[in-house]
Amino acid sequence: MKRVVFCDFDGTITAIETFAGMLKEFAPELSAEVMPKMYHRQITLREGVRQILESIPSICYGDILAYAQDKPIRYGLGQFLDFLQGENIPFVVVSGGLRDMVETVLKREGLLSKVSAIFALDVDTRYDYLKVISGFEDETELVAKVKVMAQYLVDESIAIGDSVTDINMAISADLVFARDRLIDYLEAENKSYISWHDFSDIQSYLAKHKA
């Protein structure tokens, strides 16, 4: 493949922090304690996200998915996915959040069939508290996005993200579209990027710079 787009979900596809917002809603005290440590990279995402998620009772899982149901997506995603299909560029969602939340939002928008693959967290709800399941866990991330990228043989990898969960993916990508916190992290790492506001910005750039 010439190009593959690897896109974050929370705060990237969604216009607001959906997974992070859910953690704050269902585990407010622990989130208030742990999230700042993750954002400042004082603890790993693997440690922090697992700690918060596995503090939530499994009986809440239905409410967790309902929480995602009305969260808006960022402008231009549908048109962007149509453009990528026309260019034969796979769109892969790589999320450090819950697969079921990703699918809930994409199904609502009628876009799930336009996504090539989703890599995210699953949970086991058979116990009193949620138990995290990940096929791409490493030392620092529950979903190691660079491991996901390595599954694809591609001439140019394109990363789209907004925050701390996207740092490693962005550093490894050939072309990066960054917004919000991710810009600050990449500035600190001296990694080049293109800032973006909505998906129409990314579409315009890729249309002008075809592989």
Side-chain angles (χ1 to χ4, degrees):
M1 290 176 285
K2 288 187 176 181
R3 287 174 146 178
V4 175
V5 171
F6 300 95
C7 187
D8 173 54
F9 175 74
D10 191 23
T12 301
I13 286 176
T14 56
I16 62 174
E17 294 283 352
T18 302
F19 178 66
M22 178 278 293
L23 295 178
K24 293 174 184 176
E25 178 79 14
F26 289 89
E29 294 182 6
L30 194 56
S31 293
E33 175 189 341
V34 172
M35 279 188 174
K37 294 179 182 178
M38 289 193 290
Y39 288 134
H40 290 103
R41 303 171 82 176
Q42 295 168 342
I43 64 171
T44 66
L45 293 165
R46 177 190 183 195
E47 180 184 356
V49 173
R50 172 172 275 127
Q51 187 179 352
I52 300 172
L53 264 181
E54 294 190 346
S55 77
I56 300 174
S58 294
I59 197 172
C60 296
Y61 197 60
D63 293 332
I64 285 172
L65 299 185
Y67 176 88
Q69 187 61 54
D70 64 349
K71 299 302 179 286
I73 64 167
R74 200 167 297 283
Y75 174 79
L77 179 61
Q79 298 93 320
F80 180 53
L81 293 181
D82 289 338
F83 164 77
L84 292 179
Q85 285 191 327
E87 298 291 323
N88 293 314
I89 300 173
F91 182 83
V92 178
V93 178
V94 194
S95 173
L98 296 172
R99 178 190 310 277
D100 287 340
M101 289 183 73
V102 175
E103 292 186 352
T104 292
V105 172
L106 292 175
K107 280 179 184 175
R108 183 196 71 207
E109 299 293 329
L111 298 176
L112 187 58
S113 63
K114 298 180 181 182
V115 172
S116 297
I118 297 171
F119 296 88
L121 295 177
D122 295 297
V123 288
D124 191 336
T125 59
R126 293 176 299 172
Y127 306 96
D128 289 343
Y129 292 88
L130 298 177
K131 183 174 177 57
V132 173
I133 303 168
S134 174
F136 287 88
E137 185 172 346
D138 70 1
E139 293 80 9
T140 62
E141 297 176 278
L142 282 176
V143 178
K145 298 187 178 186
V146 174
K147 278 189 175 182
V148 172
M149 295 169 71
Q151 307 300 302
Y152 293 82
L153 295 175
V154 59
D155 292 338
E156 184 180 38
S157 55
I158 302 168
I160 306 173
D162 78 311
S163 194
V164 65
T165 63
D166 306 312
I167 295 171
N168 293 337
M169 175 175 74
I171 290 172
S172 297
D174 299 307
L175 177 62
V176 182
F177 294 92
R179 52 176 290 123
D180 295 342
R181 283 192 183 95
L182 183 57
I183 288 177
D184 297 329
Y185 294 127
L186 295 183
E187 292 277 0
E189 298 284 348
N190 292 315
K191 170 70 177 183
S192 62
Y193 64 89
I194 298 164
S195 62
W196 65 288
H197 176 67
D198 58 43
F199 285 101
S200 65
D201 300 328
I202 302 174
Q203 180 177 332
S204 295
Y205 183 94
L206 294 181
K208 292 175 185 174
H209 301 82
K210 296 191 176 184

